[in-house]
Amino acid sequence: MNTNQVIFSLLFVLPILATSAEQLDLKQVKCLICRSIVDEFQNEVNKIDPTREIEIGQYKLDDKGNSHQKKVPLAKSEVHLSDMLDSICKKMQDYVRAKYKSNGKLTLLKLIENGQMNPLMNEVDIIQDGDLNKSLEYFCEEVVNDYEDSFIKVMTQGQRNPKLKICLEESNYCKGFMDEHDDESENESSESTEKTEL
């Protein structure tokens, strides 16, 4: 390919890539990434054998020469959860940006679900990305670095709605986008159900 062909190709391709990028709201992308991190993190935590425990505590000796340690479930160990969270962003390689054909709303779609092609693939248009979705991993790392303590705290405490807690209340990423998702309404409906049952 000669220089003129390369320049022509770039002049043709770059506006297409720029158009795709311009249409994306970075805050909305981070909201979707945050929500995907919660899903992936919960899936990894759920795979941990609930009977596995780890010793935690101080290694200092008291005045009687005893060290004070206790055992906690591995799924509640902050150190173990932190290690898991450090590798969670590699999973973003399995995701693509897409828009629903029905309403044009942006989503992050996992390509493979339970070993099969994601059944939602027919309902979306994939957004072509010049960096082959490498930016999803980059943004994921940014979200994890900024809110690692929040992710770990929410998981160790077994919060009822971690997406709402981390992605809206803690980080503010999903402010203005929660109406696109059912977390908030699920939370409200379950609370009203509880009140009705009382």
Side-chain angles (χ1 to χ4, degrees), residues 35-48 84 88 154-155 159-163:
R35 294 169 57 82
S36 297
I37 293 168
V38 172
D39 287 339
E40 293 291 349
F41 198 28
Q42 281 184 308
N43 287 339
E44 291 302 309
V45 170
N46 290 340
K47 290 177 188 175
I48 299 172
M84 289 173 61
I88 212 82
V154 164
M155 289 300 166
Q159 297 249 349
R160 191 163 153 198
N161 196 329
K163 287 181 189 174

Side-chain angles (χ1 to χ4, degrees), residues 13-24 128 130:
V13 171
L14 287 176
I16 294 171
L17 297 179
T19 303
S20 297
E22 282 171 13
Q23 294 173 352
L24 299 178
Q128 295 300 318

